[in-house]
Amino acid sequence: MFAKTKKNDNYLYFFNKIYDRSGSVFGFESLLRIKDTSGEWVLPQDFDKISLEIIKEAVIKSKENLPQGNFKFILKLTSKQLLSYRLRKIIKEVSAQIAPMVLVIELSHNEIRKKPKKVRAIKRRILRYKKQDVYFSINNIGSEFSHAKNIHKLLPYIDFIKLDMKYFNKEQSWLDLTLKFWGKLTKKYQIELIVSEVETKADAELVDLLGINLRQGFLYGKPQMQIK
């Protein structure tokens, strides 16, 4: 069980738009922020300690700031939050509140890398919640071979992989895995790729050249509290 760190009103979600190749909005990446003593919205320091109830209420409150439509709503969780038995009820309530948007739970690759013994339990949870029409994503994926190795047992069960463009812009270093590799691997497992941190026209042109449909980043705008 997670201890409440702050009152619920102190939390709010900001959003990054996710676009397809045609420029249409595919979905929204949620970014939880907490109001500090100066009134600024900042990144929470210890996400693991934020209760699922706070996350649920922040999602429901922030939903009013999004347009209606059949978009994907990406909700970031830690592995500890995913494995909480309370999450089943939270998912049911959140999915009903954000409809017709579709819930996508996103885990960081770093969470999986640090807790390899949890992969089997994570897989069981993914299979359980997919029965509730929830999708799953893994983010912070880069060009190192270990990134593919760490998540390979989950590939048959996830729906999205989010690549971070900064890992593929290293001109002075060798890339173990290229964007093209990830394109082939995800096609094999019928996973959709999202390229994040697209910041320049050159980045977007490379994503287009490789036939990757979904992208997000500062080239398309900064996170916003309200999107209409």
Side-chain angles (χ1 to χ4, degrees):
M1 189 170 180
F2 303 99
K4 292 191 177 183
T5 55
K6 298 285 183 180
K7 64 179 182 178
N8 294 0
D9 289 345
N10 282 354
Y11 290 91
L12 188 68
Y13 276 104
F14 283 60
F15 299 97
N16 266 332
K17 292 180 182 178
I18 299 171
Y19 291 90
D20 65 19
R21 189 171 184 173
S22 71
S24 298
V25 176
F26 174 82
F28 304 98
E29 175 195 28
S30 62
L31 305 166
L32 189 62
R33 296 293 182 262
I34 184 172
K35 185 181 288 187
D36 65 13
T37 54
S38 66
E40 296 293 322
W41 292 100
V42 299
L43 185 70
Q45 290 187 350
D46 195 342
F47 201 84
D48 234 6
K49 292 184 179 179
I50 300 174
S51 75
L52 289 171
E53 191 67 27
I54 284 178
I55 291 173
K56 181 195 74 173
E57 292 186 16
V59 168
I60 293 171
K61 179 170 61 176
S62 302
K63 186 247 184 181
E64 300 173 359
N65 295 327
L66 293 174
Q68 295 292 306
N70 189 28
F71 302 111
K72 298 295 188 295
F73 183 100
I74 296 180
L75 179 65
K76 299 172 183 291
L77 296 178
T78 66
S79 58
K80 184 177 181 181
Q81 290 162 343
L82 176 68
L83 296 176
S84 168
Y85 286 102
R86 294 183 60 248
L87 183 62
R88 188 170 190 172
K89 181 180 178 182
I90 298 293
I91 284 179
K92 185 176 181 180
E93 294 179 17
V94 167
S95 295
Q97 288 288 336
I98 68 172
M101 288 191 290
V102 178
L103 181 62
V104 181
I105 292 178
E106 185 167 89
L107 289 179
S108 170
H109 160 259
N110 295 327
E111 286 276 315
I112 298 167
R113 175 181 60 84
K114 292 176 182 177
K115 301 174 183 177
K117 294 182 179 180
K118 297 288 186 181
V119 169
R120 186 175 295 179
I122 288 171
K123 184 187 80 171
R124 288 198 296 267
R125 286 297 194 275
I126 289 174
L127 290 173
R128 170 187 288 180
Y129 295 131
K130 285 179 78 72
K131 294 178 181 179
Q132 294 179 238
D133 297 322
V134 176
Y135 290 73
F136 283 85
S137 171
I138 299 176
N139 73 346
N140 292 326
I141 296 294
S143 58
E144 296 179 21
F145 176 75
S146 61
H147 287 209
K149 181 180 179 181
N150 292 337
I151 69 170
H152 79 278
K153 291 182 179 179
L154 296 176
L155 291 177
Y157 314 105
I158 62 174
D159 306 284
F160 299 95
I161 283 179
K162 190 182 289 181
L163 304 178
D164 192 325
M165 193 69 182
K166 71 173 180 284
Y167 291 113
F168 301 92
N169 279 334
K170 299 178 181 178
E171 297 181 0
Q172 304 302 321
S173 62
W174 172 260
L175 299 183
D176 293 334
L177 306 176
T178 63
L179 289 171
K180 188 174 182 179
F181 165 85
W182 283 108
K184 289 182 177 180
L185 183 66
T186 51
K187 185 176 181 179
K188 174 183 176 180
Y189 286 96
Q190 297 182 317
I191 298 169
E192 286 199 76
L193 270 184
I194 303 173
V195 179
S196 66
E197 306 298 330
V198 177
E199 297 186 350
T200 67
K201 289 185 178 180
D203 289 343
E205 288 171 357
L206 177 58
V207 173
D208 285 340
L209 181 65
L210 294 172
I212 300 172
N213 185 39
L214 302 176
R215 69 286 308 269
Q216 65 179 134
F218 280 7
L219 180 64
Y220 308 104
K222 295 183 178 182
Q224 297 174 304
M225 185 186 302
Q226 186 176 54
I227 298 176
K228 295 297 182 181

